[in-house]
Amino acid sequence: MINQKTYKIRGMHCASCANIIESTLKKEEGVESIEVNVGMETAKIAFDETKTNVTKLTKKIKPLGYSFVVEKMEGMDHSEHTGMKMSKSEKIAELFDMKVKIMTALPLALISIFVMSWDIFGAVGMVPVMSIFWKEFFHHLLPILATYMLFVVGKPYLLGLYRFFRYGKANMDSLIGLGTSVAFLYSFVVGAFEESLRPFLNVDNTYFDVVIVVITFITLGKYLETRSKLKTGDAIEKLLTLQAKTALVVRDGKEVEIPLSEVVHGDIISVKPGGKIPVDGIIVSGSSYVDESMITGEPMPVQKKENDLVVGGTINTTGAFVFKATKVGEETMLAHIIKMVEEAQGSKAPIQALADKISAIFVPTVLVIAFLALFGWILFGAGILGFSKALSLGLVSFVSVLVIACPCALGLATPTAIIVGVGKGAKEGILIKDATTLQKLHTINTVVVDKTGTITKGKPEVVSIKNFSEKSDSDIISILASLESKSEHPIAHSILTYANKINLAVKPPSEFEAIKGKGVKGEVDGVEYFAGNSKMIEGLALPFDSKLIEKETLEGKTPIILTTKQKVLGVIMVADSVKQEAKESVARLHSLGLKVIMLTGDDKNTAEYIAREVGIDEFFAEVTPEGKLEKIKELRTKGSIVAMAGDGVNDAPALAVADVGIAMSTGTDVAIESAGITLLNGDIGKIAKAIKLSHLTMNGIKQNLFWAFAYNIIGIPIAAGILYPFFGIIMNPVFAGGAMALSSVSVVGNSLRLKSKKL
């Protein structure tokens, strides 16, 4: 049986780590696929449970310094209840440990920088030359400080070096460990055998200060990077905090507060003003306004009354109500959203493929370049500069190349932007299925929308009344609602809803009869009435000028004509009204340079009116679900890159064949699986927001990749000493360490900028 799960990974710090884990486990029997995400520090593994398990897989990577987190962590009280097994506590503990090391390392680094500066400025006469006393003092102090720095603060880098020699697997820690160890050992040997080596080497040049400052900068960079990465995933953390801890359940007529995990289907739950709604359900009594902003992104509280759906994690504002639990635990909408966000943040975008390929060969390539730089200086520089000078420059170049090389920036460029982008989308009520969908979305040039439920509300409503009798409008509506009270037609429901809204009396009719294809008839207060379409009027042979309602019918409105046997009393117009935000949303799509096409099963008059009303570029009417599918295929054949927005149910075939499918979800039954993107609350305005989010995220990724590539392409040759023959410039490993630390932090920081962007 194939089991696919996502696990957190301990010990992973860079893109090379991800490649080591992937290459090691792909060889294991039973492993079907593995995808490691550096930004999330997770691995999605599909494996055959009859051939292997997580314990066996952990044993394979543990000697390399990594392990899977399979137990439930502390600090996430409701993680299991919402289907999540993520922990922030371990990362905070790691961050605290790094902070302690930084606090001890910084004073030592400042001493080293002070000594280095004194030497440099003293040599050019800017400050007095260091006296013999201070030279001897620092000559003995720096080795002690460097020893502490390498073996205590730099322990992870030494372990990385050990694993490289032991197992042949090198990561970023291995490079730092090798560079600082070589600098330390060279300095130690020169210091220990100073007089013996003086005829052959410049024994005044040691690199204890380099060891101290480089390890400090690298550790500081890791600390800042870890702290920044912690902020990239705060979308899930905020979603988790929405979950209530307890529920007020009605048992035996009494309200009992129980833990959320004990709530079951069918429980009757009481919600007080200001309280969090614990699970999904249907209101059975009472009413209130509910703040759903953290789920849907909508700022205004929504009115909820009897038979309305409520969502776990949202907040009741003023009133009180009782509801029946219909979905609990992992079934709730909040759990689905969290799971979807987590999976999307952990997925890889196609644009990451190049960075992954380069990262896989990055560390071995850097090792080769570092040794070539070392031996190149010794072989070719000794004849010109002298052996002592050439060796010194070679060592500096060797250490600088190892220190400045950074696959971390490459590895973090894509996942950090994806994590922030997907999280920002979730806060706006835009659920993105995976990183591939987010990348595809920024390339589309055509948006195809369904009419019903996307452009329109999807519910027929009474929009106008034409009264041809002595009766009041209210009387006309009351009689019509009474007749329709026994009908099951959707239009009948809209008339009853309107009557209830304005508090009109509805009396069950007697002698009720539904006349197929025409309407209904029945008696109300002893009078026989008829309600229906023009065919009903023709059957009764009543005089009626259809031109009186011609304008409305051309606008796609449906007339319901109320008559007696003698005359027409009035006409009620029913229509599926356009959403308030539709026109502005289509305009926003146009501003992004997109063509907007509407597909609908409605008649041409209705489609033409709606298209003209909201500014649609092109429409196709009377199209079946199969016809929508064919139309999407046709558009794609002609070269259009298509995003299709529909309700996620009857539009499922078209959504599936489009380049990007966008499901308009209007309830707690989120159509997560039917499309790449789900818009909560069915808000068409979020289509433009989703597309803009895609553009911002992809721009961030491209910027990250550009600077990550540019940094390494420029930095490594300079570190190797390419500028020395022309300008006499050699990069000090201290600057290399600072640059390396800055590169990763800048990539994460650039990704975090997306949080402040307005969609």
Side-chain angles (χ1 to χ4, degrees), residues 157-169:
Y157 313 123
L158 292 179
L159 288 173
L161 182 60
Y162 163 76
R163 292 181 185 117
F164 170 54
F165 288 131
R166 176 73 173 80
Y167 302 104
K169 304 285 187 179

Side-chain angles (χ1 to χ4, degrees), residues 301-425:
V302 181
Q303 186 178 18
K304 299 288 182 179
K305 54 187 183 302
E306 194 173 327
N307 294 323
D308 282 347
L309 297 170
V310 290
V311 180
T314 56
I315 301 172
N316 181 29
T317 57
T318 54
F321 59 86
V322 174
F323 75 97
K324 181 180 179 181
T326 56
K327 292 183 178 180
V328 299
E330 295 184 10
E331 303 169 339
T332 65
M333 183 182 185
L334 179 59
H336 279 303
I337 291 173
I338 293 170
K339 184 178 180 182
M340 188 174 185
V341 172
E342 183 198 24
E343 289 179 352
Q345 288 184 335
S347 62
K348 286 186 178 181
I351 196 173
Q352 192 175 339
L354 177 62
D356 284 347
K357 288 177 183 177
I358 291 173
S359 297
I361 60 169
F362 189 89
V363 171
T365 302
V366 168
L367 282 169
V368 171
I369 292 171
F371 279 106
L372 285 175
L374 173 61
F375 293 118
W377 277 108
I378 294 172
L379 291 174
F380 300 108
I384 302 170
L385 303 171
F387 178 76
S388 179
K389 180 73 171 177
L391 176 61
S392 178
L393 291 174
L395 283 170
V396 168
S397 297
F398 178 79
V399 176
S400 292
V401 168
L402 293 177
V403 170
I404 200 170
C406 184
C408 300
L410 277 175
L412 291 170
T414 300
T416 52
I418 293 293
I419 291 166
V420 176
V422 169
K424 186 174 181 66

Side-chain angles (χ1 to χ4, degrees), residues 81-92:
H81 197 61
T82 55
M84 295 289 297
K85 288 183 173 64
M86 290 188 65
S87 173
K88 195 177 178 182
S89 57
E90 273 206 344
K91 191 55 63 181
I92 291 173

Side-chain angles (χ1 to χ4, degrees), residues 630-670:
E630 294 306 316
K631 183 56 68 176
I632 298 295
K633 287 181 178 178
E634 181 186 329
L635 288 168
R636 293 187 68 193
T637 302
K638 291 178 179 178
S640 296
I641 305 172
V642 182
M644 166 71 186
D647 62 14
V649 183
N650 61 352
D651 292 317
L655 290 171
V657 80
D659 294 285
V660 177
I662 303 174
M664 310 294 290
S665 171
T666 55
T668 55
D669 293 321
V670 185

Side-chain angles (χ1 to χ4, degrees), residues 477-546:
I477 293 292
S478 181
I479 294 166
L480 185 58
S482 297
L483 278 178
E484 299 286 11
S485 64
K486 286 197 174 182
S487 172
E488 295 182 357
H489 196 280
I491 288 178
H493 178 72
S494 68
I495 293 168
L496 284 166
T497 300
Y498 184 76
N500 289 331
K501 185 178 178 181
I502 58 177
N503 298 317
L504 294 179
V506 177
K507 302 172 184 177
S510 57
E511 305 298 328
F512 175 83
E513 182 184 346
I515 305 169
K516 189 175 181 181
K518 294 182 179 181
V520 298
K521 73 173 183 177
E523 288 188 7
V524 179
D525 292 332
V527 180
E528 187 176 36
Y529 294 99
F530 299 82
N533 55 26
S534 56
K535 291 180 181 178
M536 176 76 78
I537 301 301
E538 291 168 6
L540 293 171
L542 293 174
F544 182 71
D545 186 358
S546 61

